[in-house]
Amino acid sequence: KIGKFMKNSALAVLLLVFGYGQSLAQAGDNAKPNILLFMVDDMGWQDTSVPFFNETTPLNRRYHTPNMERLAKKGMKFTNAYATPLCSPTRVSLLTGMNAARHRVTNWTHMVRDNSTDAKDDVFEPVSWNLNGFSPVEGIPGTVYGTPLPQLLKEAGYYTIHVGKAHWGSMGTPGANPTNLGFLVNIAGHAAGHPQSYQGSQNYGSMPGKTTYHAVPGLQEYYGSEVFLSEALTLEAMKALEQPVKEKKPFFLYMAHYAVHTPIQADARYYGKYLEAGLDSIEARYASLVEGMDKSLGDLLDYLERNDLEKNTVVIFMSDNGGLSLVPPRGGQLHTHNLPLKAGKGSMHEGGIREPMLVSWPGVTKAGSTCGQYVVIEDFFPTLLEIGSATGRKPLQSVDGSSFVRYLRKPERRDESRSLVWHFPNKWTGGGGPGINYSSAIRKGSWKLIYSMKDQKLSLYNLADDIGEERDLAGTNTAKRDELARELTAKLKGWNAQMPVYRSTGAAAKWPDEISSR
């Protein structure tokens, strides 16, 4: 009897230990937070009722984004968050953690392979940039090769979902299809940078005899309906979430809206109220796009709450570049503004690169908090890997970003010694304007230097008391000007950054530290 008792006791202990080990393993897997990265296209810093400036502005009062307000109250607002001046460079930096000067996808990628989007210039030859975007496969001409973020998260146990705009690679290259980058599910993502139409009644562009490359794929269920594109993408995202929720697997949902990019079309749910408020038709259409995007955010937040996922889900809101604020070269009207920031999309001034960013991580971020530390898009790569404990293998590429998890925990922390760098050795088809085309920039602390390659001019601003970059101090603070010019040059040379070449001489444009302010 004693022997039988000891045998049964030993078996019970083994079963208990085995079961406890299994429980720990399951708990460890479930303990990984879900990640919802909500990316908006072309949304400016001021295109929201959430004030990211130190005061509420007229633009904040124009727009109605109650769900951004809701997210800001739940989590943390970043007032100094940056992307690149254009979409594809931002998206490749997010995907790889690399600065655009290093990955060389410095302009927006064309849908058709090997087609440069650089506008012709009379002074500079076009640079040989990576015009086909990112590739997870080595040896594809005109691409940067590396290990994509969703692949690393998938290997760490995440169920990875892509919804909306991809725009990582040209058609016919591996980077055009999100499922080649580690996404288990792809909804409506392809090589295009904007939709042909936002309207379900127009099949999102898939109309017989009128379809272009920009028609949004894979949404046939909504063809002929009144369902706006932002709504259709949201409905499909929630359908895709059913699988990981059922399997109790952590998920990474990259919700990348086509809104609020052109074409500026009215979301009928909200358009009338902005007309009644006195906005002209273009501004009202744009505001309706913004509110429809915000409705999507609210629907996803509601989904998390309904399914008891809110407490274990990190939600990050970000835009890919500043709001479009230029009169197009072929005519047209403005449809958004960025004041008090200077300029807009395509520019090295704050209006082109400073973005609305919100983060909620229950148990980590303090409700209603604000972080003033400057962060940049390549920081998202190491941040999300840290959040997801995705340390299984090292990426092939060199990572320039730095995790901002420490600021989520302690938003009062500051690192004024770090420098952020932007590089655009191209000519944008979106037109001219201040700080646009053939320019580089660096921010360190509150100081910012912009280098215009064509003008061979350095401009220096102190953002602490001149957020509108109206007072150029390059001629009066030459020590700070030269210090930043040297650091900018060292960074660019360290990344083997390209500089444009003069048509007349074949010589490359000077480096920032080779010139003085004019």
mmCIF file of all heavy atoms in Angstrom, residues 354 443-449 459-474 477 480 484:
data_model
loop_
_atom_site.group_PDB
_atom_site.id
_atom_site.type_symbol
_atom_site.label_atom_id
_atom_site.label_comp_id
_atom_site.label_asym_id
_atom_site.label_seq_id
_atom_site.Cartn_x
_atom_site.Cartn_y
_atom_site.Cartn_z
ATOM 1 N N ARG A 354 6.240 66.776 -38.571
ATOM 2 C CA ARG A 354 5.742 66.576 -37.199
ATOM 3 C C ARG A 354 4.331 65.999 -37.252
ATOM 4 O O ARG A 354 3.483 66.485 -37.995
ATOM 5 C CB ARG A 354 5.752 67.881 -36.408
ATOM 6 C CG ARG A 354 5.583 67.623 -34.900
ATOM 7 C CD ARG A 354 5.490 68.901 -34.095
ATOM 8 N NE ARG A 354 6.743 69.618 -33.990
ATOM 9 C CZ ARG A 354 7.159 70.225 -32.863
ATOM 10 N NH1 ARG A 354 6.421 70.161 -31.765
ATOM 11 N NH2 ARG A 354 8.286 70.907 -32.848
ATOM 12 N N ARG A 443 17.640 67.702 -36.113
ATOM 13 C CA ARG A 443 17.159 68.296 -34.873
ATOM 14 C C ARG A 443 17.946 67.702 -33.714
ATOM 15 O O ARG A 443 18.111 66.483 -33.616
ATOM 16 C CB ARG A 443 15.662 68.053 -34.655
ATOM 17 C CG ARG A 443 15.230 68.598 -33.286
ATOM 18 C CD ARG A 443 13.767 68.525 -32.974
ATOM 19 N NE ARG A 443 13.564 69.018 -31.608
ATOM 20 C CZ ARG A 443 12.379 69.145 -31.003
ATOM 21 N NH1 ARG A 443 11.279 68.815 -31.649
ATOM 22 N NH2 ARG A 443 12.301 69.594 -29.760
ATOM 23 N N LYS A 444 18.393 68.578 -32.822
ATOM 24 C CA LYS A 444 19.091 68.152 -31.607
ATOM 25 C C LYS A 444 18.685 69.095 -30.484
ATOM 26 O O LYS A 444 18.939 70.298 -30.563
ATOM 27 C CB LYS A 444 20.607 68.182 -31.802
ATOM 28 C CG LYS A 444 21.377 67.557 -30.654
ATOM 29 C CD LYS A 444 22.864 67.452 -30.993
ATOM 30 C CE LYS A 444 23.617 66.698 -29.909
ATOM 31 N NZ LYS A 444 25.049 66.569 -30.237
ATOM 32 N N GLY A 445 18.057 68.536 -29.449
ATOM 33 C CA GLY A 445 17.476 69.389 -28.433
ATOM 34 C C GLY A 445 16.380 70.218 -29.062
ATOM 35 O O GLY A 445 15.541 69.725 -29.816
ATOM 36 N N SER A 446 16.362 71.508 -28.796
ATOM 37 C CA SER A 446 15.363 72.384 -29.411
ATOM 38 C C SER A 446 15.864 73.014 -30.700
ATOM 39 O O SER A 446 15.126 73.749 -31.359
ATOM 40 C CB SER A 446 14.971 73.500 -28.429
ATOM 41 O OG SER A 446 16.086 74.320 -28.140
ATOM 42 N N TRP A 447 17.105 72.704 -31.082
ATOM 43 C CA TRP A 447 17.697 73.318 -32.270
ATOM 44 C C TRP A 447 17.464 72.473 -33.518
ATOM 45 O O TRP A 447 17.537 71.250 -33.478
ATOM 46 C CB TRP A 447 19.197 73.526 -32.075
ATOM 47 C CG TRP A 447 19.510 74.590 -31.066
ATOM 48 C CD1 TRP A 447 19.819 74.394 -29.751
ATOM 49 C CD2 TRP A 447 19.519 75.999 -31.272
ATOM 50 N NE1 TRP A 447 20.024 75.592 -29.123
ATOM 51 C CE2 TRP A 447 19.850 76.601 -30.041
ATOM 52 C CE3 TRP A 447 19.273 76.805 -32.379
ATOM 53 C CZ2 TRP A 447 19.943 77.985 -29.892
ATOM 54 C CZ3 TRP A 447 19.377 78.183 -32.240
ATOM 55 C CH2 TRP A 447 19.707 78.757 -30.999
ATOM 56 N N LYS A 448 17.205 73.156 -34.620
ATOM 57 C CA LYS A 448 16.978 72.466 -35.886
ATOM 58 C C LYS A 448 17.681 73.209 -37.017
ATOM 59 O O LYS A 448 17.554 74.435 -37.143
ATOM 60 C CB LYS A 448 15.481 72.372 -36.174
ATOM 61 C CG LYS A 448 15.149 71.632 -37.480
ATOM 62 C CD LYS A 448 13.656 71.527 -37.656
ATOM 63 C CE LYS A 448 13.287 70.967 -39.016
ATOM 64 N NZ LYS A 448 11.847 71.036 -39.266
ATOM 65 N N LEU A 449 18.404 72.452 -37.830
ATOM 66 C CA LEU A 449 19.114 72.992 -38.986
ATOM 67 C C LEU A 449 18.539 72.377 -40.253
ATOM 68 O O LEU A 449 18.359 71.160 -40.330
ATOM 69 C CB LEU A 449 20.601 72.660 -38.888
ATOM 70 C CG LEU A 449 21.493 73.230 -40.001
ATOM 71 C CD1 LEU A 449 21.864 74.672 -39.699
ATOM 72 C CD2 LEU A 449 22.758 72.387 -40.160
ATOM 73 N N SER A 459 19.793 76.961 -42.701
ATOM 74 C CA SER A 459 18.853 77.737 -41.903
ATOM 75 C C SER A 459 18.770 77.117 -40.522
ATOM 76 O O SER A 459 18.677 75.891 -40.390
ATOM 77 C CB SER A 459 17.465 77.753 -42.552
ATOM 78 O OG SER A 459 17.522 78.311 -43.853
ATOM 79 N N LEU A 460 18.792 77.934 -39.494
ATOM 80 C CA LEU A 460 18.826 77.463 -38.111
ATOM 81 C C LEU A 460 17.641 78.036 -37.338
ATOM 82 O O LEU A 460 17.370 79.235 -37.404
ATOM 83 C CB LEU A 460 20.132 77.907 -37.443
ATOM 84 C CG LEU A 460 20.333 77.509 -35.978
ATOM 85 C CD1 LEU A 460 20.514 76.005 -35.832
ATOM 86 C CD2 LEU A 460 21.529 78.259 -35.387
ATOM 87 N N TYR A 461 16.962 77.164 -36.595
ATOM 88 C CA TYR A 461 15.798 77.584 -35.819
ATOM 89 C C TYR A 461 15.868 77.008 -34.410
ATOM 90 O O TYR A 461 16.365 75.892 -34.205
ATOM 91 C CB TYR A 461 14.498 77.114 -36.487
ATOM 92 C CG TYR A 461 14.365 77.546 -37.917
ATOM 93 C CD1 TYR A 461 14.676 76.672 -38.960
ATOM 94 C CD2 TYR A 461 13.937 78.842 -38.242
ATOM 95 C CE1 TYR A 461 14.558 77.070 -40.286
ATOM 96 C CE2 TYR A 461 13.823 79.249 -39.560
ATOM 97 C CZ TYR A 461 14.136 78.356 -40.578
ATOM 98 O OH TYR A 461 14.032 78.750 -41.882
ATOM 99 N N ASN A 462 15.336 77.763 -33.457
ATOM 100 C CA ASN A 462 15.172 77.265 -32.098
ATOM 101 C C ASN A 462 13.687 76.998 -31.882
ATOM 102 O O ASN A 462 12.893 77.924 -31.705
ATOM 103 C CB ASN A 462 15.683 78.295 -31.081
ATOM 104 C CG ASN A 462 15.699 77.740 -29.673
ATOM 105 O OD1 ASN A 462 15.047 76.732 -29.380
ATOM 106 N ND2 ASN A 462 16.445 78.371 -28.788
ATOM 107 N N LEU A 463 13.310 75.722 -31.920
ATOM 108 C CA LEU A 463 11.899 75.345 -31.868
ATOM 109 C C LEU A 463 11.257 75.638 -30.517
ATOM 110 O O LEU A 463 10.031 75.704 -30.419
ATOM 111 C CB LEU A 463 11.742 73.867 -32.212
ATOM 112 C CG LEU A 463 12.218 73.447 -33.603
ATOM 113 C CD1 LEU A 463 12.072 71.939 -33.789
ATOM 114 C CD2 LEU A 463 11.456 74.189 -34.697
ATOM 115 N N ALA A 464 12.075 75.824 -29.497
ATOM 116 C CA ALA A 464 11.522 76.068 -28.167
ATOM 117 C C ALA A 464 10.711 77.359 -28.138
ATOM 118 O O ALA A 464 9.689 77.450 -27.444
ATOM 119 C CB ALA A 464 12.646 76.132 -27.132
ATOM 120 N N ASP A 465 11.131 78.369 -28.891
ATOM 121 C CA ASP A 465 10.390 79.626 -28.901
ATOM 122 C C ASP A 465 10.021 80.088 -30.313
ATOM 123 O O ASP A 465 9.586 81.215 -30.515
ATOM 124 C CB ASP A 465 11.181 80.732 -28.184
ATOM 125 C CG ASP A 465 12.582 80.933 -28.755
ATOM 126 O OD1 ASP A 465 12.828 80.501 -29.895
ATOM 127 O OD2 ASP A 465 13.419 81.523 -28.052
ATOM 128 N N ASP A 466 10.188 79.188 -31.290
ATOM 129 C CA ASP A 466 9.866 79.539 -32.681
ATOM 130 C C ASP A 466 9.403 78.285 -33.417
ATOM 131 O O ASP A 466 10.044 77.823 -34.362
ATOM 132 C CB ASP A 466 11.100 80.156 -33.351
ATOM 133 C CG ASP A 466 10.835 80.600 -34.785
ATOM 134 O OD1 ASP A 466 9.659 80.860 -35.116
ATOM 135 O OD2 ASP A 466 11.800 80.660 -35.571
ATOM 136 N N ILE A 467 8.263 77.745 -32.977
ATOM 137 C CA ILE A 467 7.778 76.501 -33.582
ATOM 138 C C ILE A 467 7.395 76.696 -35.049
ATOM 139 O O ILE A 467 7.399 75.751 -35.839
ATOM 140 C CB ILE A 467 6.592 75.936 -32.770
ATOM 141 C CG1 ILE A 467 6.341 74.469 -33.129
ATOM 142 C CG2 ILE A 467 5.336 76.778 -32.974
ATOM 143 C CD1 ILE A 467 5.341 73.773 -32.237
ATOM 144 N N GLY A 468 7.099 77.935 -35.440
ATOM 145 C CA GLY A 468 6.749 78.229 -36.823
ATOM 146 C C GLY A 468 7.944 78.444 -37.725
ATOM 147 O O GLY A 468 7.769 78.706 -38.916
ATOM 148 N N GLU A 469 9.151 78.328 -37.183
ATOM 149 C CA GLU A 469 10.397 78.474 -37.946
ATOM 150 C C GLU A 469 10.389 79.756 -38.791
ATOM 151 O O GLU A 469 10.650 79.761 -39.988
ATOM 152 C CB GLU A 469 10.621 77.252 -38.844
ATOM 153 C CG GLU A 469 10.795 75.964 -38.045
ATOM 154 C CD GLU A 469 10.724 74.711 -38.890
ATOM 155 O OE1 GLU A 469 9.619 74.384 -39.367
ATOM 156 O OE2 GLU A 469 11.759 74.066 -39.074
ATOM 157 N N GLU A 470 10.111 80.856 -38.109
ATOM 158 C CA GLU A 470 10.046 82.163 -38.772
ATOM 159 C C GLU A 470 11.344 82.949 -38.631
ATOM 160 O O GLU A 470 11.611 83.855 -39.423
ATOM 161 C CB GLU A 470 8.888 82.981 -38.181
ATOM 162 C CG GLU A 470 7.513 82.351 -38.388
ATOM 163 C CD GLU A 470 7.134 82.232 -39.850
ATOM 164 O OE1 GLU A 470 7.611 83.048 -40.662
ATOM 165 O OE2 GLU A 470 6.360 81.307 -40.186
ATOM 166 N N ARG A 471 12.161 82.635 -37.611
ATOM 167 C CA ARG A 471 13.365 83.417 -37.344
ATOM 168 C C ARG A 471 14.618 82.564 -37.608
ATOM 169 O O ARG A 471 14.959 81.693 -36.805
ATOM 170 C CB ARG A 471 13.363 83.928 -35.899
ATOM 171 C CG ARG A 471 12.188 84.841 -35.602
ATOM 172 C CD ARG A 471 12.271 85.445 -34.213
ATOM 173 N NE ARG A 471 12.163 84.445 -33.150
ATOM 174 C CZ ARG A 471 11.014 83.967 -32.683
ATOM 175 N NH1 ARG A 471 9.867 84.364 -33.212
ATOM 176 N NH2 ARG A 471 11.004 83.086 -31.705
ATOM 177 N N ASP A 472 15.269 82.817 -38.717
ATOM 178 C CA ASP A 472 16.472 82.088 -39.102
ATOM 179 C C ASP A 472 17.663 82.670 -38.341
ATOM 180 O O ASP A 472 18.022 83.843 -38.522
ATOM 181 C CB ASP A 472 16.682 82.199 -40.607
ATOM 182 C CG ASP A 472 17.866 81.375 -41.103
ATOM 183 O OD1 ASP A 472 18.584 80.787 -40.274
ATOM 184 O OD2 ASP A 472 18.070 81.337 -42.331
ATOM 185 N N LEU A 473 18.276 81.855 -37.495
ATOM 186 C CA LEU A 473 19.375 82.303 -36.635
ATOM 187 C C LEU A 473 20.746 81.870 -37.148
ATOM 188 O O LEU A 473 21.743 81.988 -36.438
ATOM 189 C CB LEU A 473 19.170 81.759 -35.213
ATOM 190 C CG LEU A 473 17.820 82.092 -34.553
ATOM 191 C CD1 LEU A 473 17.716 81.416 -33.191
ATOM 192 C CD2 LEU A 473 17.647 83.604 -34.421
ATOM 193 N N ALA A 474 20.793 81.361 -38.387
ATOM 194 C CA ALA A 474 22.065 80.850 -38.910
ATOM 195 C C ALA A 474 23.149 81.919 -38.987
ATOM 196 O O ALA A 474 24.339 81.628 -38.829
ATOM 197 C CB ALA A 474 21.851 80.223 -40.292
ATOM 198 N N ASN A 477 23.911 82.863 -34.817
ATOM 199 C CA ASN A 477 24.457 81.803 -33.951
ATOM 200 C C ASN A 477 25.269 80.848 -34.821
ATOM 201 O O ASN A 477 24.863 79.712 -35.085
ATOM 202 C CB ASN A 477 23.321 81.066 -33.229
ATOM 203 C CG ASN A 477 23.824 80.206 -32.086
ATOM 204 O OD1 ASN A 477 24.992 79.817 -32.047
ATOM 205 N ND2 ASN A 477 22.933 79.894 -31.150
ATOM 206 N N LYS A 480 26.387 77.284 -33.238
ATOM 207 C CA LYS A 480 25.392 76.204 -33.255
ATOM 208 C C LYS A 480 25.133 75.732 -34.694
ATOM 209 O O LYS A 480 24.994 74.545 -34.954
ATOM 210 C CB LYS A 480 24.083 76.687 -32.622
ATOM 211 C CG LYS A 480 22.973 75.651 -32.589
ATOM 212 C CD LYS A 480 23.369 74.392 -31.807
ATOM 213 C CE LYS A 480 23.535 74.655 -30.331
ATOM 214 N NZ LYS A 480 23.786 73.387 -29.573
ATOM 215 N N LEU A 484 25.862 71.787 -35.808
ATOM 216 C CA LEU A 484 24.844 70.910 -36.380
ATOM 217 C C LEU A 484 25.176 70.525 -37.818
ATOM 218 O O LEU A 484 24.877 69.401 -38.249
ATOM 219 C CB LEU A 484 23.480 71.580 -36.314
ATOM 220 C CG LEU A 484 22.891 71.760 -34.908
ATOM 221 C CD1 LEU A 484 21.538 72.446 -34.978
ATOM 222 C CD2 LEU A 484 22.765 70.418 -34.188
#
